[in-house]
Amino acid sequence: MKNIWRIIQFIPEYRGRVVGVIAVGTVLGFIGTATPYLYKFIVDAISQMLSGSISKEEATTSVITLLLIFFVLRLGVVGFGALQNKQADDLWLDTVSTFRQRVFDNMTRKSIDYFEKTRVGEIMDRFGNITSITMWLSSLTDGTLASILQMFFIVAVLLVKAPLIGVLMAAVLLLNFWISYRTVGWTKPHRRGWQALAGKMSGLLAEMVGNIATERSFGGEPAVKQRYDDTQAEWLVARGNLHKTEWRSEQALNVINTFGVFVAVALAVHAALQGRFTTGDILLILTLTQNLINTIGPIARQINQASEIESSAERLVELLDVGAEH
């Protein structure tokens, strides 16, 4: 991840805006965790009314109050969500513009020798990585950070409300992060290989287009086409190996998450049968558990994508790092 971090260091002027996005994400994560508690209280109030523990009037007052709080929270999600989207979109546009300008300015300081040694297509391919890198960084701030914070809030609530289930889901969470992190290492050679080959294909295409008259005059097109075809065949192998590794990792995560949810539900039902949980408690635990699993998947995929972004960042850093040659 060192190259991603180095890319971020090229745009220090945006740190304050990133903190602002994180602050909004914290609020959204808290709301996402607090909402299931309202479901619990509503169900408990209705259950108590049906059992005769409280009157219909008391239950009605309680439920109406909870519904009003729920409405306010939903308005908060809409408002803070819109703010976060606006922040993230503006940040992405500015970072894309800044990176492009800095790469372009740096390229104008390169010596002729640099351009003679480097294919135009490879330079353009690396330059094109700016969009994918900044989009990934933007996705971290636009939703992903809020989801990560919500995950930790959920685990904290479960550890207090149902310690055994909380420990179980914390273990599931750690396994997801560990496998995703390991997948980044497993796929890095494949990603680096296919990205280098993609750059080579771009270079060959630019070379052929730029010298098409000469190539046709001397009958060199078949040779260029053969080089391109050979490179693409290598690219397909590298890409296939990458997909195979990612697929195995994804299936492992699916099995772990399915097992985790099953055990969590079984533990909650067992506790309810023993009278240790109310109906609302069951709903709260099951909702939080399901929300946690639904959140883990996208974040795990985001971590897996970090390998591709790291490779892209490595190629872009080379353009930003190389100064003028004299």
Side-chain angles (χ1 to χ4, degrees):
M1 302 291 285
K2 66 177 182 178
N3 288 297
I4 293 178
W5 177 242
R6 293 195 62 196
I7 285 292
I8 295 173
Q9 291 178 316
F10 279 110
I11 49 172
E13 63 267 39
Y14 296 118
R15 290 173 184 169
R17 293 169 63 178
V18 171
V19 172
V21 177
I22 293 174
V24 174
T26 302
V27 175
L28 289 171
F30 174 78
I31 293 175
T33 307
T35 302
Y37 259 103
L38 296 178
Y39 302 154
K40 162 189 159 49
F41 294 141
I42 290 172
V43 169
D44 279 344
I46 295 173
S47 298
Q48 290 171 359
M49 181 194 71
L50 294 175
S51 65
S53 301
I54 60 175
S55 65
K56 181 178 180 180
E57 290 73 19
E58 291 175 316
T60 300
T61 300
S62 178
V63 168
I64 290 175
T65 302
L66 291 168
L67 287 175
L68 288 174
I69 296 174
F70 174 77
F71 180 68
V72 171
L73 289 180
R74 295 312 301 171
L75 286 179
V77 170
V78 172
F80 282 103
L83 176 60
Q84 187 182 59
N85 289 338
K86 181 68 166 56
Q87 288 177 316
D89 288 345
D90 290 345
L91 186 59
W92 177 74
L93 287 172
D94 290 342
T95 52
V96 167
S97 176
T98 300
F99 270 125
R100 286 176 175 169
Q101 187 64 53
R102 287 179 184 169
V103 169
F104 183 86
D105 290 344
N106 199 43
M107 296 305 293
T108 61
R109 296 191 292 269
K110 298 285 189 289
S111 68
I112 298 298
D113 184 58
Y114 172 81
F115 292 102
E116 288 178 346
K117 292 187 297 183
T118 310
R119 286 192 176 97
V120 174
E122 289 190 31
I123 294 175
M124 295 305 298
D125 186 67
R126 295 184 185 196
F127 186 80
N129 288 332
I130 292 174
T131 300
S132 61
I133 293 170
T134 52
M135 286 186 69
W136 184 81
L137 291 174
S138 176
S139 69
L140 285 181
T141 57
D142 183 14
T144 301
L145 286 174
S147 297
I148 292 174
L149 291 168
Q150 184 177 342
M151 282 196 310
F152 288 114
F153 288 151
I154 289 174
V155 171
V157 170
L158 288 175
L159 286 171
V160 172
K161 190 67 181 176
L164 188 57
I165 295 176
V167 170
L168 169 68
M169 298 315 296
V172 169
L173 191 63
L174 290 174
L175 275 173
N176 272 263
F177 283 156
W178 182 79
I179 291 177
S180 298
Y181 174 76
R182 292 295 297 163
T183 302
V184 170
W186 295 329
T187 59
K188 185 175 182 179
H190 302 311
R191 289 188 187 279
R192 181 180 291 170
W194 79 259
Q195 286 190 338
L197 290 167
K200 184 178 179 180
M201 286 190 290
S202 297
L204 288 169
L205 178 61
E207 182 181 308
M208 186 193 72
V209 173
N211 302 293
I212 187 65
T214 304
E215 295 286 352
R216 287 188 174 175
S217 298
F218 292 94
E221 285 179 289
V224 175
K225 182 179 183 308
Q226 185 61 51
R227 288 165 60 197
Y228 186 90
D229 290 347
D230 292 343
T231 303
Q232 179 160 261
E234 293 180 53
W235 179 88
L236 286 172
V237 172
R239 193 67 178 175
N241 291 332
L242 170 65
H243 281 311
K244 186 184 299 182
T245 303
E246 288 182 329
W247 182 84
R248 290 173 178 171
S249 173
E250 185 176 353
Q251 301 319 306
L253 292 177
N254 288 338
V255 171
I256 290 171
N257 294 340
T258 299
F259 180 76
V261 171
F262 171 76
V263 176
V265 171
L267 290 173
V269 170
H270 176 69
L273 291 175
Q274 291 184 328
R276 291 190 284 114
F277 286 157
T278 65
T279 305
D281 288 334
I282 294 294
L283 179 62
L284 172 65
I285 291 171
L286 297 185
T287 302
L288 289 176
T289 301
Q290 193 59 54
N291 287 350
L292 182 63
I293 294 300
N294 291 340
T295 305
I296 288 175
I299 293 176
R301 285 191 289 273
Q302 194 86 7
I303 295 174
N304 288 340
Q305 290 173 3
S307 177
E308 181 173 346
I309 300 303
E310 170 69 10
S311 297
S312 298
E314 181 179 14
R315 291 163 59 77
L316 181 60
V317 163
E318 290 176 9
L319 291 184
L320 290 164
D321 269 350
V322 179
E325 299 173 15
H326 302 286

